[in-house]
Amino acid sequence: MTMNSRQATVISRDGTAIAFERSGTGPAIILVASALADRSDTAKLARLLAPHFTVINYDRRGRGASGDAADYAVEREIEDIAALIDHAGGSASLFGSSSGAVLALRAAAAGVNVERLALYEPPFVVGHDGFGPPADFARNVTSLLARGRRGEAVKYFMTEAQGMPAFMVTMMRLVPGPWSKLKAMAHTLPYDIAVMGDTQRGEPLDAEPWSRVTAPTLVLTGGKSPAGFHDAARALAGILTDCRHRTLPGLNHGAVVMAPKRIAPVLIEFVTADGHPVPDRNGHGGTHQ
């Protein structure tokens, strides 16, 4: 069994080249990154999964080594995933985090051949408790980008959508390399806003957009994450036909990057076995919905 990564590209339906790294052998799993992230953010997770799967770790369009198109539509990103699934042999499981989880969910709802669907903290906003971005978030991001204020757009996203304290963002800006990488992806923030659509308005989650999702689904949340993520997970588990929710103690929204060793065993068990979460360190199975 080889775990060496091989970089390649697939051509999506609109002609855009989508770059990815392929590693491992076995059932295919595709990793779908969150906002302001490329495949480097899921590289550690990919290495942990490669002994068990054929891992497709890709750059979403407009990021990293992938191309882009003049006009964006969520459907183009779904076509990117479909092209990767075709490359993988015609079917694959998907793992997405944050807005990438919602993109993976939209791909499954669009009818691409998804075997299993694992989602980490899709940021639906289903209540009026202050969780989630402000109502004018999309307009403000668009305005900042139109004025060329890429760094301010990144800061605004981090503070208003992710809830990061402003002083932490200021500290991040003092590290030129990583901050420059984030600014380079700032133009894709409207892509993730489009992926989220009208799901962050504080209304009950509408079942209709997800009615075609039939793949067994696992929604994960971190025990240290805000209550809004848990509310969203429970809402999604309540409307999908085959969905479980598990909370992983001690983790927060950044766990896919910061704690991949806690995420990987759960994904391995879910994709390869019967879908039941693996026990946590205390021997308990976690919470289910």
Side-chain angles (χ1 to χ4, degrees):
M1 177 182 298
T2 177
M3 288 177 283
N4 294 329
S5 295
R6 300 192 302 275
Q7 183 170 318
T9 60
V10 294
I11 304 302
S12 194
R13 184 175 181 179
D14 71 342
T16 301
I18 303 299
F20 66 93
E21 289 184 358
R22 175 173 175 152
S23 59
T25 58
I29 184 168
I30 297 172
L31 308 183
V32 187
S34 61
L36 290 182
D38 59 17
R39 59 188 151 116
S40 66
D41 289 73
T42 43
K44 290 181 180 178
L45 179 61
R47 286 194 292 271
L48 293 168
L49 296 176
H52 306 272
F53 307 112
T54 296
V55 183
I56 306 293
N57 187 23
Y58 79 105
D59 288 329
R60 287 173 57 187
R61 61 174 52 212
R63 313 175 193 204
S66 286
D68 206 351
D71 297 317
Y72 177 81
V74 176
E75 290 77 12
R76 302 294 82 76
E77 289 220 71
I78 293 172
E79 290 166 0
D80 298 345
I81 292 174
L84 292 164
I85 289 177
D86 286 344
H87 168 82
S91 66
S93 295
L94 301 181
F95 171 69
S97 60
S98 196
S99 55
V102 180
L103 177 57
L105 188 65
R106 290 195 184 278
V112 300
N113 196 1
V114 176
E115 295 288 337
R116 288 179 180 266
L117 188 61
L119 312 172
Y120 189 82
E121 297 196 344
F124 298 127
V125 180
V126 296
H128 295 281
D129 57 357
F131 175 74
D136 57 355
F137 177 73
R139 183 176 70 249
N140 288 339
V141 168
T142 301
S143 175
L144 288 169
L145 292 174
R147 289 179 282 153
R149 297 172 61 183
R150 299 174 71 92
E152 289 302 308
V154 172
K155 178 181 178 180
Y156 182 73
F157 169 77
M158 288 182 164
T159 56
E160 299 300 320
Q162 293 188 321
M164 187 178 295
F167 79 89
M168 290 184 63
V169 180
T170 300
M171 296 299 292
M172 292 177 66
R173 299 180 79 160
L174 298 177
V175 186
W179 187 253
S180 295
K181 177 183 172 183
L182 291 170
K183 288 201 301 180
M185 291 187 283
H187 67 284
T188 65
L189 283 171
Y191 300 3
D192 288 276
I193 292 171
V195 166
M196 295 309 303
D198 62 358
T199 65
Q200 294 187 305
R201 297 180 179 178
E203 304 298 331
L205 196 60
D206 185 3
E208 193 280 329
W210 322 113
S211 60
R212 292 188 61 192
V213 177
T214 58
T217 301
L218 176 65
V219 188
L220 299 171
T221 51
K224 289 186 175 181
S225 292
F229 287 116
H230 302 276
D231 294 340
R234 286 190 288 268
L236 184 60
I239 64 176
L240 295 185
T241 58
D242 185 1
C243 183
R244 301 169 184 269
H245 168 218
R246 180 182 177 185
T247 297
L248 302 179
L251 300 187
N252 59 26
H253 195 58
V256 173
V257 176
M258 303 304 295
K261 290 183 178 179
R262 294 285 308 280
I263 303 292
V266 181
L267 296 182
I268 293 165
E269 179 72 7
F270 174 66
V271 175
T272 60
D274 62 0
H276 291 285
V278 294
D280 61 26
R281 290 181 180 178
N282 295 318
H284 303 296
T287 60
H288 303 245
Q289 250 72 18

